[in-house]
Amino acid sequence: MGTSNPVTITVEAIVHSPIESVWTNWTEPKHIMQWNKASDDWHTPHAENDLRVGGKFLSRMEAKDGSFGFDFNGVYDEVNLHESIAYTMPDGRKVKSVFTRQGNDTKITTLFDAEQTNSVEMQQAGWQAILDSFKTYAETAQA
């Protein structure tokens, strides 16, 4: 990796659900496996989450047809209940999600360092699709 600073990408959504249930749906593995996908031909068959500073998380993301899969993982740098979560991925990139109570709704804003392989637009679209999948799940699930 070069000496240039990575581009920071932002995605956000307003989830029509209280912050407490949004937090539960975002952080518990049984829920993560339900929403963590960018499209319906992908899924997360396995998730682990040790939600504390220094704790690790792992989500196994796979194409449903078995053609491709990868582990999405990192180590938590910051965990503030119902407020924010920040982590570092194995390649050193940083991610931070902020949860803001808006009455009975919750605004989620995620900022992440872009990687060098795919275009910024493609990365933003992919992360936004996963966030939109979360929004759909969180608005219909009972946490």
Side-chain angles (χ1 to χ4, degrees), residues 2-123:
T3 56
S4 63
N5 289 328
V7 171
T8 300
I9 301 172
T10 303
V11 296
E12 60 185 23
I14 294 176
V15 180
H16 302 297
S17 187
I19 201 163
E20 294 81 5
S21 69
V22 164
W23 185 269
T24 298
N25 285 317
W26 187 271
T27 59
E28 289 187 5
K30 68 180 181 180
H31 294 295
I32 295 167
M33 291 188 296
Q34 300 302 311
W35 61 260
N36 192 33
K37 59 186 178 187
S39 63
D40 286 338
D41 52 349
W42 279 77
H43 66 152
T44 297
H46 179 78
E48 301 171 12
N49 196 18
D50 183 9
L51 188 63
R52 61 182 176 82
V53 173
K56 297 179 182 181
F57 70 90
L58 167 79
S59 296
R60 177 70 188 169
M61 301 177 80
E62 296 179 353
K64 286 183 178 176
D65 67 6
S67 63
F68 188 76
F70 63 94
D71 289 340
F72 183 77
N73 59 333
V75 176
Y76 290 111
D77 303 313
E78 172 187 316
V79 177
N80 295 305
L81 183 66
H82 301 158
E83 292 180 11
S84 63
I85 297 172
Y87 59 87
T88 302
M89 292 184 273
D91 63 4
R93 292 185 297 132
K94 303 279 188 182
V95 179
K96 182 170 185 172
S97 293
V98 177
F99 303 82
T100 307
R101 187 186 307 267
Q102 297 186 337
N104 285 326
D105 296 339
T106 305
K107 180 178 181 181
I108 302 171
T109 305
T110 298
L111 298 91
F112 65 97
D113 293 340
E115 40 94 347
Q116 304 294 313
T117 307
N118 297 296
S119 72
V120 167
E121 295 77 16
M122 179 185 240
Q123 292 175 68

